[in-house]
Amino acid sequence: MSTSKRSSIIVEHLRKQQMLDMMAKGKRIDGRAFDEQRPLEIETDVIKKANGSARVKLGNSEVIAGVKVETGEPFEGLENKGALIVSAEVLPTASPHVEPGPPDEEVIELARVVDRGVRESEMVDLEKLVLVEGKVVYTIFVDCSVLNADGNLFDATSYATVAAILTAKIPVLEMQEGKVVDTGKTIPMPVTTVPISITQVRIGDAILVDPTAEEEGAMDARITITTSDEGYCALQKGYTGSFTIEQIKKAGETARIKGEEVRAKIKEITNYGT
């Protein structure tokens, strides 16, 4: 799934030049405007045995996320907070350029960027997920699987993660005689905000929102900016190229505007705030 493979196999020199020629005229290969996302579809409660789940289709990229709630020890230095862990995998059937085996550095980066957006936004009030301070806390696992990879897995995976968390139900647990006991009741996840990531790439002088795999193969640089209801909360610059200060400012404003649009859609679908 490496970018070098995508660049050499998917986007040969002539195809990239065609992109540059079209972008010079204000057009993209698939006809979208520079700041236009692909169609976004979100379906929740798709894994019945999970505490919460969601399937997201962003164009042809497709991701499914499942939330599993367990108990465990808190992280060192965070004894008064529950734990949240986001993991990701790209299935070998998701793309002809994905090889079976341990996750490569790009898949590791995918999980970290999505995790950072959720964590830095403080989407989940982890202080409410403590059973015995310093000893027993709720641990929230969010496992994401990429079913089809056609670019911008960062946003597709992030949206699936956020939607799954928003619809998750936590089992009400109690400590009885030193043991964790399930009461059989559930409560909603203690959510405080809705983080939305917007990924953009630079190809030449053009900044494109929601790149396809073909556009990622031709990119010079990538940036993922996450906003919450309160404002900016996370940023990740990827790939080898750079952005000018003005390009970053423009990308930030685009992320804010597009983030509001996606946030409204996810809130509506998940009934958040109602």
Side-chain angles (χ1 to χ4, degrees):
M1 186 186 149
S2 68
T3 301
S4 61
K5 290 181 181 178
R6 287 199 299 265
S7 182
S8 61
I9 297 175
I10 300 178
V11 187
E12 66 285 316
H13 175 73
L14 293 178
R15 187 61 166 168
K16 181 172 181 178
Q17 187 59 50
Q18 182 184 15
M19 286 186 188
L20 293 172
D21 292 341
M22 291 188 68
M23 287 186 293
K25 301 175 183 177
K27 300 179 181 180
R28 294 169 76 167
I29 289 290
D30 59 10
R32 285 184 291 152
F34 287 4
D35 63 351
E36 183 180 352
Q37 287 184 305
R38 292 170 292 176
L40 173 61
E41 300 177 20
I42 303 172
E43 182 184 1
T44 60
D45 299 323
V46 295
I47 306 175
K48 299 307 178 184
K49 292 186 178 180
N51 295 101
S53 60
R55 182 196 301 268
V56 164
K57 292 182 180 179
L58 184 59
N60 291 325
S61 288
E62 184 174 359
V63 180
I64 191 167
V67 174
K68 189 65 177 177
V69 180
E70 298 181 359
T71 57
E73 296 182 0
F75 292 134
E76 184 176 353
L78 299 172
E79 286 78 9
N80 64 333
K81 293 184 178 182
L84 186 147
I85 301 170
V86 177
S87 63
E89 65 171 344
V90 180
L91 301 181
T93 54
S95 167
H97 310 296
V98 177
E99 298 179 357
D104 62 18
E105 60 183 17
E106 291 190 8
V107 178
I108 294 172
E109 181 187 22
L110 171 63
R112 287 179 176 175
V113 171
V114 174
D115 182 275
R116 183 177 299 122
V118 173
R119 193 177 304 277
E120 293 301 321
S121 70
E122 298 183 347
M123 177 186 183
V124 180
D125 188 348
L126 297 178
E127 292 185 357
K128 293 184 178 179
L129 299 179
V130 178
L131 290 172
V132 180
E133 186 170 329
K135 294 183 178 181
V136 184
V137 299
Y138 286 93
T139 301
I140 312 299
F141 294 97
V142 186
D143 298 318
C144 305
S145 296
V146 176
L147 307 181
N148 195 58
D150 187 29
N152 195 10
L153 299 182
F154 291 99
D155 291 352
T157 305
S158 177
Y159 303 161
T161 295
V162 169
I165 291 175
L166 287 173
T167 57
K169 301 294 184 181
I170 297 178
V172 177
L173 307 176
E174 295 179 350
M175 296 298 298
Q176 297 180 9
E177 299 180 353
K179 296 181 179 180
V180 178
V181 177
D182 191 337
T183 66
K185 302 177 181 179
T186 62
I187 57 175
M189 185 77 71
V191 172
T192 65
T193 190
V194 180
I196 299 296
S197 70
I198 298 293
T199 296
Q200 302 167 70
V201 298
R202 177 177 68 80
I203 302 178
D205 294 326
I207 307 297
L208 309 180
V209 168
D210 182 25
T212 62
E214 196 170 34
E215 289 171 335
E216 286 180 338
M219 69 182 176
D220 297 302
R222 183 188 66 238
I223 190 168
T224 299
I225 301 174
T226 303
T227 60
S228 66
D229 291 283
E230 292 72 31
Y232 297 98
C233 58
L235 182 150
Q236 175 79 14
K237 188 270 176 184
Y239 205 51
T240 57
S242 61
F243 293 89
T244 66
I245 293 177
E246 288 305 314
Q247 286 172 334
I248 292 177
K249 288 181 178 179
K250 181 179 179 181
E253 181 63 11
T254 299
R256 182 186 66 80
I257 295 171
K258 294 297 177 181
E260 290 177 355
E261 295 174 2
V262 176
R263 185 175 298 109
K265 181 168 186 174
I266 290 181
K267 285 183 177 181
E268 179 182 4
I269 292 172
T270 60
N271 295 314
Y272 175 73
T274 60

